């Protein structure tokens, strides 16, 4: 069995400065200094081919989500909410040269798709963090907005994650690096979560709570679903497991939060995960709401984040 190690990528800054008192995004890779050019392959960007500080130096908020269409819709929505010139419908995909991710910029807000699952968002985050570093961005807040399965809460509830946990309800992310298993912390920025919850209290349309989010490597068996092509457990075993998750403080399940929390924490980014629940997994496995209801659900995290960003920019007075 490969040895298990706590992550050794520690900052030399004092603990209170883990999010960077100087505001810059920290990269944890000394090899980058040896590169004559850093090619952000999956973004179709690079330090030699693009003036990254000019393009992205004013970015203060980065919002990421799985679907390219949803993140384009959010970019248009936040464009209008901030009162920027035009209706935002003419924004272009900065990553149009690749079909891996989509990226849109609306003033100081960057909106990026990350695909589905830990591997996809991990690749995106590596290049995003390097992009923010090369662009000399300061005081950046990054928020994942998305959908999830709820546990013991009404569908349509928005969950702000305090800690991302694994399938054993442990607040950690394990990754195999070379022949070692490296364990990283998955705690998200507490003050940011509280600020988001405070903003939600001004929105009467839906309920927002703070809770643990369980991150899995799979949508079907890994989340205890009975409706996949494979299933090796009973309905009773499934319900018992999900009840254990609820008792451990888990309120929703998705597939990206653990690596998102771990990487952002290490690199000095204030990060949050805000996901709407599409169903209560204690009541079933299949999403049965109509398309119109689901479309309205998916706008809820966007509304909350828009209110938060406007408050931070003093546009919501």
């Amino acid at each position: 069995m490969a040895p298990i190690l706590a992550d050794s990528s520690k900052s030399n800054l004092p603990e209170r400065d883990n999010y960077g008192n100087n505001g810059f995004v920290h990269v944890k890779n000394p090899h980058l200094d040896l590169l004559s050019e850093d090619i952000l392959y999956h973004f179709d960007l690079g330090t030699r081919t693009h003036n990254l500080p000019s393009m992205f130096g004013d970015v203060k908020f980065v919002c990421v989500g799985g679907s390219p269409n949803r993140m384009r819709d959010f970019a248009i929505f936040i464009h209008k909410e901030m009162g920027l010139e035009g209706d935002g419908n003419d924004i272009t995909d900065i990553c149009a040269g690749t079909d891996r991710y989509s990226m849109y910029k609306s003033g100081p807000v960057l909106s990026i798709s990350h695909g589905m699952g830990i591997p996809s968002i991990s690749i995106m985050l590596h290049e995003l963090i390097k992009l923010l570093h090369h662009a000399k961005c300061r005081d950046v807040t990054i928020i994942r907005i998305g959908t999830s399965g709820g546990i013991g809460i009404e569908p349509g509830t928005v969950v702000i994650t305090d800690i991302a946990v694994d399938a054993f309800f442990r607040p950690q992310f394990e990754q195999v690096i070379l022949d070692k298993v490296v364990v990283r912390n998955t705690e998200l920025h507490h003050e940011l979560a509280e600020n988001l919850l405070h903003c939600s209290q001004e929105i009467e349309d839906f309920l927002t709570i703070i809770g643990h989010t369980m991150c899995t490597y799979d949508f079907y068996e890994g989340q205890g679903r009975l409706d996949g092509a494979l299933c090796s457990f009973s309905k009773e075993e499934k319900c018992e497991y999900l009840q254990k998750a609820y008792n451990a403080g888990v309120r929703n399940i998705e597939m990206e939060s653990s690596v998102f929390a771990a990487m952002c924490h290490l690199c000095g980014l204030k990060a949050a995960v805000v996901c709407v629940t599409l169903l209560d997994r204690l009541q079933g496995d299949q999403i049965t709401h109509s398309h119109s209801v689901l479309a309205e659900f998916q706008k809820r995290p966007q509304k909350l984040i828009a209110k938060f960003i406007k408050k931070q920019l003093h546009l919501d007075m």
Side-chain angles (χ1 to χ4, degrees), residues 153-171:
I153 56 179
E154 284 293 316
T157 301
V158 172
V159 179
I160 301 168
T161 306
D162 53 1
I163 296 176
V165 301
D166 64 13
F168 298 99
F169 321 135
R170 300 174 302 187

Side-chain angles (χ1 to χ4, degrees), residues 243-255:
Q243 188 62 53
K244 285 182 180 178
Y246 182 86
N247 294 341
V250 176
R251 294 297 177 266
N252 64 335
I253 312 173
E254 46 86 273
M255 296 189 293

Side-chain angles (χ1 to χ4, degrees), residues 223-288:
Q223 295 188 14
R225 275 186 160 83
L226 302 171
D227 59 344
L230 306 173
C231 187
S232 57
F233 46 84
S234 68
K235 180 179 179 180
E236 291 72 24
E237 288 173 316
K238 165 215 162 175
C239 291
E240 180 182 359
Y241 175 73
L242 292 181
Q243 188 62 53
K244 285 182 180 178
Y246 182 86
N247 294 341
V250 176
R251 294 297 177 266
N252 64 335
I253 312 173
E254 46 86 273
M255 296 189 293
E256 294 87 17
S257 59
S258 62
V259 68
F260 174 83
M263 291 182 67
C264 290
H265 181 81
L266 279 171
C267 294
L269 284 162
K270 292 182 180 179
V273 177
V274 181
C275 290
V276 68
T277 58
L278 302 183
L279 76 167
D280 179 359
R281 289 294 318 289
L282 291 174
Q283 303 301 319
D285 296 330
Q286 297 211 331
I287 300 169
T288 58

